[in-house]
Amino acid sequence: MNQDSASSALKDWRRWPWTLWGRQALAVMGLELKKSLRGRRHWSVLLLAAAPVSLFALRAAVELPGEAVQALGGLAVVYAVVFRTFMLRLVVFFGCVAVFANLFRGELQEKTLHYYFLAPIRREVLGIGKYLAGLVSAGFILGSATAASFLLHYLPAGSSQLADFLFDGPGLGHLLAYVAVTFLGCLGYGSVFLLMGLVFRNPIIPTIVVLGWESINFLLPPALKKISVIYYLESLCPVAVPQRGITILADPAPLWLAVPGLLLLTAVVLFLAGLRLRRLEVSYSTE
């Protein structure tokens, strides 16, 4: 291919619609991030994220290094239980509700959504841009809370043991895995609550339904377990948790299936959100 042909191909590539849509989505994302920094949209998420950090910081402050501290293996299991039951099922879940359910609902309440609809941009692209902004915000806030709580959890064992655990043991891998699972939780739950914010005028009841479904996941048969976000997230956790009580066991999803499964779920839900956006009409009088 000569230089003229390569230049012509590059120009044609730049004229493809998806390149324009990508730039528009990134522009919307940047605008939404600036709005979130100037406003108070994410205060509730910050309070949620501060809860586990405060609890672990209090524990680290009152428990002296080396005093009544379990072995690092025991601490790993304890954090795995706390992460699954508290971080994923409460902090990440409700943090995503606060961020993503209000991406369009908040604009309707503030009576500013029509400005976006008047812009020369496809509504699906608008939805993707807003979703990316919410993902960056929620992922950064909740991921930082996960990392801070993880480090504070091991701090009473002593700084030298913590350093050995992180850099000479599996600690750093565990930390990165938990932060990645938190981000994937924002990815999956975020798409679900974005769609709910578009479909339902009051997303409280559907949120309770989703919370109930995710909470009884351990009781569902293996086939139904896979129709949930928590199943894939728990499969990616680096430390296994002993099963107690009444539980219907199912093999965790392998890495090659868990991550694509979450991505596929997110893509399908965002596609449905785009269809909803096409039919959405702004009527502030009914809000």
Side-chain angles (χ1 to χ4, degrees):
M1 181 182 292
N2 56 36
Q3 185 175 0
D4 292 338
S5 299
S7 177
S8 176
L10 180 60
K11 290 180 180 179
D12 291 339
W13 178 83
R14 289 176 176 175
R15 285 197 294 267
W16 288 354
W18 65 270
T19 60
L20 172 62
W21 298 342
R23 293 195 299 270
Q24 289 178 332
L26 292 176
V28 172
M29 181 186 74
L31 178 60
E32 288 293 310
L33 289 174
K34 290 179 182 178
K35 289 166 64 176
S36 64
L37 290 175
R38 292 196 303 265
R40 302 179 179 180
R41 291 186 176 184
H42 297 333
W43 280 30
S44 57
V45 186
L46 290 171
L47 291 175
L48 278 170
V53 177
S54 301
L55 290 175
F56 282 109
L58 180 62
R59 172 181 173 273
V62 300
E63 189 170 352
L64 298 177
E67 179 182 309
V69 175
Q70 307 173 55
L72 290 177
L75 289 175
V77 175
V78 171
Y79 185 80
V81 173
V82 173
F83 180 79
R84 291 177 183 229
T85 57
F86 185 54
M87 283 298 299
L88 284 183
R89 297 177 184 272
L90 292 177
V91 177
V92 173
F93 184 90
F94 286 104
C96 289
V97 172
V99 172
F100 292 93
N102 289 317
L103 286 177
F104 285 94
R105 187 59 47 191
E107 297 280 357
L108 287 170
Q109 293 174 349
E110 297 170 4
K111 300 183 177 179
T112 57
L113 184 58
H114 64 283
Y115 293 118
Y116 273 125
F117 284 0
L118 291 174
I121 179 175
R122 292 176 65 92
R123 293 190 177 186
E124 298 91 333
V125 176
L126 172 63
I128 293 297
K130 278 182 161 289
Y131 171 77
L132 291 176
L135 183 61
V136 170
S137 299
F140 177 77
I141 295 172
L142 298 175
S144 300
T146 298
S149 63
F150 179 89
L151 295 174
L152 289 170
H153 174 65
Y154 288 96
L155 189 59
S159 58
S160 60
Q161 290 191 27
L162 176 58
D164 292 340
F165 178 61
L166 286 176
F167 302 110
D168 295 328
L172 185 59
H174 289 182
L175 173 60
L176 295 176
Y178 283 122
V179 173
V181 171
T182 300
F183 182 82
L184 289 173
C186 297
L187 186 85
Y189 285 129
S191 62
V192 172
F193 294 120
L194 171 65
L195 178 61
M196 285 188 175
L198 289 169
V199 174
F200 300 99
R201 185 174 303 173
N202 187 351
I204 293 178
I205 294 179
T207 296
I208 294 175
V209 173
V210 175
L211 178 62
W213 178 262
E214 296 289 282
S215 300
I216 65 171
N217 181 265
F218 67 99
L219 295 174
L220 298 175
L224 292 180
K225 287 180 183 289
K226 299 175 182 179
I227 313 176
S228 65
V229 175
I230 197 67
Y231 167 74
Y232 298 101
L233 296 180
E234 290 185 340
S235 298
L236 293 170
C237 289
V239 178
V241 174
Q243 300 295 334
R244 298 177 181 177
I246 302 175
T247 304
I248 298 178
L249 298 179
D251 293 333
L255 178 64
W256 62 268
L257 179 62
V259 175
L262 278 171
L263 294 177
L264 178 61
L265 171 66
T266 301
V268 170
V269 176
L270 289 178
F271 174 76
L272 296 176
L275 295 180
R276 172 59 181 165
L277 270 173
R278 286 185 181 182
R279 301 190 299 269
L280 183 63
E281 296 183 1
V282 177
S283 180
Y284 299 134
S285 61
T286 60
E287 293 299 320

